Amino acid sequence: MRAKIKLLEHAQGRYIFVNDIGHNQGRSVTNDAEYTIALLYSDYSINDTTRIFYKDSQGRIDEILHCGKKFRGFSPGHKGVAINGT
């Protein structure tokens, strides 16, 4: 996966922000979300309540939905969570 990952703490809980840096050489957050979720569960010890936001290579920010280490889909937009410095 070609991405930069940033862990954000927030007063309402824990967030992960993934900045997808392109998919010219294989996996990306968008085209391999299953792998992304599995990696975040193992490397960042996230749980089912951790919200995962990602910015794709075109600059769009969406949320990755997950449960029990499984990818469940995408939710458009960031639903009111401000993500700064990315």
Side-chain angles (χ1 to χ4, degrees):
M1 177 177 64
R2 296 179 47 81
K4 294 179 183 176
I5 299 171
K6 181 185 219 179
L7 176 65
L8 303 175
E9 296 292 336
H10 189 273
Q12 295 176 346
R14 188 171 176 192
Y15 301 85
I16 296 274
F17 182 77
V18 180
N19 188 10
D20 195 341
I21 56 176
H23 61 277
N24 293 336
Q25 297 179 3
R27 291 179 170 155
S28 73
V29 174
T30 307
N31 71 19
D32 202 355
E34 294 85 0
Y35 175 80
T36 300
I37 295 298
L39 181 70
L40 293 174
Y41 267 86
S42 67
D43 290 2
Y44 288 85
S45 300
I46 68 169
N47 60 45
D48 292 350
T49 63
T50 306
R51 293 182 72 187
I52 302 168
F53 298 93
Y54 80 102
K55 180 167 58 171
D56 69 17
S57 57
Q58 297 178 350
R60 179 186 169 116
I61 297 175
D62 290 315
E63 184 172 3
I64 301 174
L65 306 175
H66 62 99
C67 182
K69 300 183 184 180
K70 294 185 183 198
F71 167 67
R72 297 290 183 208
F74 296 103
S75 179
H78 56 74
K79 296 195 176 196
V81 176
I83 300 174
N84 299 314
T86 55

